[in-house]
Amino acid sequence: MAASMKNRLLIFKLRRLQVSNITRQIPKNRSVSTIPRAIVYDTYGDPKSVLRLQETEIPSVGDEEVKIQMMAAPINPADLNTIQGQYPFKPAMPAIGGFEGVGRIEEVGRQVKSLKPGDLVIPSINGLGTWRNQLVCKSAEVMTFPSGTPLLFACTIRVNMCTAYRMLKDFEELQPGDCVIQNAANSGAGQSVIQIAAARGIKTVNIVRDRPDFEDLSSYLQNLGATVVTTEAQLRQSEKILMQNLPKPKLALNAVGGKSCFTLLKHLQPTGTMVTYGGMSRQPVMVPTSSLIFSDVKVRGYWMSRWHEQNKDSEEAKCMINELCNWAKDEKVRPPKHKLHPIQDFKLAVENAMTDFQTEKQILRLDD
Amino acid sequence: MAASMKNRLLIFKLRRLQVSNITRQIPKNRSVSTIPRAIVYDTYGDPKSVLRLQETEIPSVGDEEVKIQMMAAPINPADLNTIQGQYPFKPAMPAIGGFEGVGRIEEVGRQVKSLKPGDLVIPSINGLGTWRNQLVCKSAEVMTFPSGTPLLFACTIRVNMCTAYRMLKDFEELQPGDCVIQNAANSGAGQSVIQIAAARGIKTVNIVRDRPDFEDLSSYLQNLGATVVTTEAQLRQSEKILMQNLPKPKLALNAVGGKSCFTLLKHLQPTGTMVTYGGMSRQPVMVPTSSLIFSDVKVRGYWMSRWHEQNKDSEEAKCMINELCNWAKDEKVRPPKHKLHPIQDFKLAVENAMTDFQTEKQILRLDD
């Protein structure tokens, strides 16, 4: 399938986000906790302005459908970029925010064999629209995960954890003792990289921006399993000390772009790979010509949504979720540092998520 | 083998360039044409200043060696960059210039079975030092090529033609009717790309810098087989007209860097590859973050010297030389547009080679 076709398909799937049955009045005769509500938007723009909490109507459950009580959903950069209209996903309007989360099955259609009421589920498609308390969808659009998995871990597994898992698996064959370098190391995906790498015995060199609370952040990331935590300036000044006893990184993970790539590439092993999954500096990815020609580095990009779309229902997808959840149960990886918000406080949650130097994941509680 | 090891190996091999037996006096009792002479340098620097023509002594031919009368050798950008000290190859001093050329076997050692006097040969290693009229080397360091190949084609096959051949083969599987986009399309490698692509039925979109003689250059490149010849400005203005009836390029070839990459990537098919083999703008390769993440383009580099080193004596190397020479015999690909210079005029040849907007290959005649 041509990639443009794939993109069209992704966009098509996302139309599910459309809320055709939003009503503007919350009936007075229903208790607040059972009123179906969603965080919706009618137009692309600043998430702080365009989002609103709105009552929705929930259709009856079809033969192959399930009804879900959503429990929690995080606010990820990709959610915000979609609302800003800066993402390739262009949901039809009005749309419901949110790409991931965790919920509990309340009711299943007559043909549904794989799920039963009480099962905990996460999305298995990209465009579920998780920022709502109740939803009805096809049973194939959600999946279970190993019991005993912390719910806040399951709630944030599909974006950051899966991104980190795949980037550490799909580009370079990493063995215990190998090394990975990354920038934006305190981002959600960055923290996931640190933990998954540590669980696999892989060392990490983690670059963060200089900040007043650098020492606290450094301790926190080392506590997650980071081998080295540094700023770009420190790395330039104390390269030999910081990198001593470490092999040259085989893999570099870039969520910043611009000249930060020079730092990653300076340390990357010849023939290694730099994978870009974000562009926080809003600068293009910059690569010295000599790195490409003489060091034969490979420069790639990674987009979790595409992987999910292309590997939906695959054994590989199930293996990944199982392995991550089992690591979480063994406390080898943890739920993100987070702040919980009741659904009606979504504006504060969004505002926090858009604040610079943010290390906490903002998570909406949807079952209050 | 680790890449750094490979680089060390390449550098080691290059020590063969060293001229330990240079003498400063040309004996008066020998005719000029038989005096062994070489274009040598003692120090890195501006090729126009540091190169000099010097008599050398030729050792007797060992059991596994051959003596070669060199006939012609081109001046390539990589030769000049090596002399400038800007190449990873760091030959020991004094060194002889030149990476490729063509010569005739004059004498073979007692153990040499694969070659005989009269055979025409090209280098099969990177560091032969071809800017000399006579040389003695191991028989394995040169190789024959199909008889009937134009000598000026053989003389320039190893750098530009092989670079173009491999870049069109090793990164994307191209079928007849597919499309490739390139900048610096009038460079030696660029002209080779046009011809090999045309020989394989592949369409090419060729970007050149704006210049007074654009129409002449465009006709010349179209005559070589170019599908479209354009400047960046023309391509921006008349994109739909220029690209009509063409599929989106699967492969982009970059010898410029900087923002020129944006143009290549704008047209590259999603999941396609951009290969960098030069950096004429002296700017880093710049890649929009979205091209990497959402279009999943792959950014790679190519270095012919590494391929030659890693594939020396391989069947693949022989196949490539044979296929190229057979295309040349069939006039599907041609020797480069060129200017011949006797060895003593090497300074003019070097000066021409360093002139901007140069389309002609400067070639030294070594058998005058």
Side-chain angles (χ1 to χ4, degrees):
Chain A
M1 197 182 344
S4 56
M5 269 295 293
K6 283 177 202 152
N7 279 347
R8 278 204 293 277
L9 196 63
L10 287 169
I11 290 161
F12 173 71
K13 299 284 179 188
L14 256 218
R15 309 227 165 182
R16 292 193 57 83
L17 281 179
Q18 186 168 18
V19 193
S20 55
N21 52 0
I22 288 174
T23 61
R24 299 203 169 254
Q25 297 301 317
I26 298 180
K28 295 210 170 72
N29 59 346
R30 296 170 70 181
S31 86
V32 171
S33 65
T34 59
I35 297 168
R37 292 186 296 174
I39 299 170
V40 304
Y41 56 109
D42 297 300
T43 178
Y44 298 126
D46 179 356
K48 295 196 288 280
S49 309
V50 299
L51 291 172
R52 66 178 197 281
L53 182 61
Q54 174 106 31
E55 188 193 350
T56 61
E57 278 181 9
I58 294 295
S60 59
V61 178
D63 283 357
E64 295 181 348
E65 291 184 328
V66 293
K67 184 178 173 192
I68 300 170
Q69 167 67 50
M70 288 300 294
M71 302 163 81
I75 297 172
N76 288 313
D79 299 320
L80 300 174
N81 291 340
T82 302
I83 296 161
Q84 288 161 333
Q86 292 168 357
Y87 219 54
F89 282 163
K90 303 289 180 200
M93 298 293 169
I96 300 175
F99 283 159
E100 67 171 345
V102 65
R104 189 177 50 242
I105 300 286
E106 295 230 308
E107 190 183 333
V108 302
R110 284 182 299 180
Q111 301 295 326
V112 175
K113 309 288 176 209
S114 57
L115 296 168
K116 59 182 187 305
D119 281 351
L120 296 173
V121 291
I122 57 174
S124 64
I125 60 159
N126 286 323
L128 200 60
T130 54
W131 293 354
R132 45 181 163 169
N133 58 355
Q134 292 176 39
L135 67 90
V136 168
C137 66
K138 287 186 185 159
S139 63
E141 293 175 340
V142 293
M143 64 189 287
T144 57
F145 52 88
S147 66
T149 304
L151 287 191
L152 281 170
F153 183 82
C155 159
T156 55
I157 195 173
R158 193 173 154 84
V159 176
N160 289 331
M161 272 289 160
C162 288
T163 299
Y165 181 97
R166 296 246 68 90
M167 292 195 302
L168 290 168
K169 192 157 191 179
D170 294 349
F171 295 93
E172 291 288 337
E173 211 167 296
L174 299 171
Q175 305 297 335
D178 282 343
C179 185
V180 171
I181 188 168
Q182 66 169 341
N183 56 26
N186 62 312
S187 69
Q191 293 184 46
S192 302
V193 164
I194 290 169
Q195 296 184 77
I196 295 172
R200 290 180 51 191
I202 297 162
K203 295 175 193 304
T204 52
V205 176
N206 300 281
I207 301 169
V208 297
R209 284 177 295 175
D210 198 16
R211 61 190 74 210
D213 66 344
F214 173 80
E215 289 306 327
D216 291 346
L217 177 61
S218 178
S219 304
Y220 168 67
L221 296 180
Q222 287 181 54
N223 204 248
L224 287 184
T227 316
V228 171
V229 181
T230 179
T231 63
E232 296 220 7
Q234 284 174 352
L235 187 55
R236 264 194 304 277
Q237 282 156 20
S238 313
E239 181 182 327
K240 283 192 184 161
I241 298 167
L242 288 169
M243 304 294 273
Q244 71 184 348
N245 304 324
L246 286 179
K248 270 185 106 65
K250 275 186 180 171
L251 181 69
L253 303 176
N254 167 47
V256 176
K259 289 189 176 168
S260 176
C261 301
F262 292 164
T263 308
L264 297 180
L265 290 163
K266 187 184 168 207
H267 294 279
L268 186 65
Q269 198 176 101
T271 79
T273 303
M274 178 170 80
V275 180
T276 292
Y277 67 98
M280 280 165 56
S281 72
R282 304 202 174 271
Q283 296 292 310
V285 169
M286 300 218 274
V287 185
T289 302
S290 61
S291 297
L292 289 166
I293 299 179
F294 301 129
S295 301
D296 199 18
V297 302
K298 299 180 274 286
V299 176
R300 299 290 306 273
Y302 186 71
W303 189 22
M304 195 63 231
S305 298
R306 182 173 45 239
W307 195 95
H308 279 313
E309 186 63 32
Q310 292 174 351
N311 295 275
K312 208 167 42 183
D313 300 326
S314 69
E315 271 312 301
E316 184 62 35
K318 285 171 200 152
C319 279
M320 169 172 66
I321 296 296
N322 285 344
E323 187 163 22
L324 284 168
C325 288
N326 288 329
W327 277 334
K329 285 160 68 179
D330 296 346
E331 295 182 356
K332 286 185 178 170
V333 300
R334 302 183 218 162
K337 200 170 170 180
H338 61 272
K339 195 172 171 72
L340 287 171
H341 303 266
I343 191 168
Q344 60 271 24
D345 291 352
F346 74 95
K347 287 217 172 186
L348 174 63
V350 165
E351 209 170 295
N352 285 357
M354 295 177 80
T355 303
D356 214 6
F357 295 110
Q358 189 56 253
T359 302
E360 283 178 342
K361 182 66 71 186
Q362 308 299 311
I363 295 179
L364 299 168
R365 280 211 61 160
L366 301 168
D367 56 354
D368 277 342
Chain B
M1 195 180 348
S4 57
M5 269 295 292
K6 282 178 206 154
N7 279 348
R8 277 204 293 279
L9 195 63
L10 286 169
I11 289 159
F12 173 72
K13 300 282 178 187
L14 257 218
R15 310 230 163 180
R16 294 193 54 84
L17 281 179
Q18 186 168 20
V19 192
S20 56
N21 50 1
I22 289 175
T23 60
R24 300 208 167 250
Q25 296 301 316
I26 297 179
K28 295 212 170 69
N29 59 345
R30 295 169 71 182
S31 86
V32 171
S33 66
T34 59
I35 296 167
R37 294 184 296 175
I39 299 169
V40 305
Y41 56 108
D42 297 300
T43 178
Y44 298 125
D46 179 356
K48 294 195 289 278
S49 310
V50 299
L51 291 172
R52 63 177 197 283
L53 182 62
Q54 175 103 32
E55 189 193 350
T56 62
E57 278 182 8
I58 294 294
S60 60
V61 178
D63 284 356
E64 294 182 346
E65 291 183 330
V66 293
K67 184 179 173 192
I68 300 170
Q69 167 66 53
M70 287 300 293
M71 302 164 82
I75 297 173
N76 288 313
D79 300 320
L80 300 173
N81 291 340
T82 302
I83 296 161
Q84 288 161 332
Q86 293 169 354
Y87 218 56
F89 281 162
K90 303 289 181 200
M93 298 292 168
I96 300 175
F99 283 158
E100 67 171 345
V102 65
R104 190 177 48 242
I105 300 287
E106 295 231 308
E107 191 182 334
V108 302
R110 283 184 299 180
Q111 300 296 325
V112 175
K113 308 290 177 210
S114 56
L115 296 168
K116 60 182 187 306
D119 281 351
L120 297 173
V121 291
I122 57 174
S124 64
I125 60 160
N126 286 322
L128 200 59
T130 54
W131 293 352
R132 44 181 163 172
N133 58 354
Q134 292 176 39
L135 66 90
V136 168
C137 67
K138 287 188 186 158
S139 64
E141 292 174 340
V142 293
M143 64 190 287
T144 57
F145 51 88
S147 67
T149 305
L151 288 191
L152 282 170
F153 183 83
C155 159
T156 54
I157 195 173
R158 194 174 154 83
V159 176
N160 289 331
M161 273 289 161
C162 288
T163 299
Y165 181 97
R166 295 246 67 89
M167 291 197 302
L168 289 170
K169 192 157 190 178
D170 293 350
F171 295 92
E172 290 289 336
E173 211 167 295
L174 298 171
Q175 305 297 337
D178 281 344
C179 185
V180 171
I181 188 167
Q182 65 169 342
N183 56 27
N186 62 312
S187 69
Q191 293 184 45
S192 302
V193 164
I194 290 170
Q195 295 184 78
I196 295 172
R200 289 180 52 192
I202 297 162
K203 295 175 192 304
T204 53
V205 176
N206 300 281
I207 301 169
V208 297
R209 284 178 294 175
D210 199 15
R211 62 191 72 211
D213 66 345
F214 173 80
E215 289 306 327
D216 291 347
L217 177 61
S218 178
S219 302
Y220 168 68
L221 296 180
Q222 286 181 52
N223 204 246
L224 286 183
T227 315
V228 171
V229 182
T230 179
T231 63
E232 296 220 7
Q234 284 174 349
L235 187 55
R236 263 194 306 277
Q237 283 157 19
S238 313
E239 183 182 324
K240 284 195 183 158
I241 297 166
L242 288 169
M243 303 295 271
Q244 70 184 348
N245 305 325
L246 286 179
K248 269 184 108 64
K250 274 186 180 170
L251 182 69
L253 303 175
N254 167 46
V256 176
K259 290 190 176 169
S260 177
C261 300
F262 292 164
T263 307
L264 297 179
L265 289 163
K266 187 183 166 206
H267 293 280
L268 186 64
Q269 196 175 102
T271 78
T273 303
M274 179 172 79
V275 180
T276 292
Y277 67 99
M280 280 165 56
S281 71
R282 302 200 176 274
Q283 296 293 311
V285 169
M286 301 218 274
V287 186
T289 302
S290 60
S291 298
L292 290 166
I293 300 180
F294 302 129
S295 301
D296 198 18
V297 302
K298 301 180 274 286
V299 176
R300 300 290 306 274
Y302 186 72
W303 189 23
M304 195 65 232
S305 298
R306 182 173 45 238
W307 195 94
H308 279 312
E309 187 62 34
Q310 292 175 351
N311 294 276
K312 208 167 42 186
D313 300 327
S314 69
E315 271 311 301
E316 183 64 33
K318 285 171 201 152
C319 280
M320 170 172 64
I321 297 296
N322 285 344
E323 187 164 21
L324 284 169
C325 288
N326 287 330
W327 278 333
K329 286 161 67 179
D330 295 347
E331 295 183 354
K332 286 185 178 171
V333 300
R334 303 182 217 165
K337 199 169 170 180
H338 61 272
K339 195 171 171 72
L340 288 171
H341 302 267
I343 192 168
Q344 60 271 22
D345 291 351
F346 73 93
K347 289 218 172 186
L348 175 62
V350 164
E351 211 170 294
N352 285 356
M354 295 175 81
T355 303
D356 214 7
F357 295 109
Q358 190 55 254
T359 303
E360 282 178 345
K361 182 66 71 186
Q362 308 299 311
I363 295 179
L364 299 168
R365 280 212 60 160
L366 301 167
D367 56 354
D368 278 340

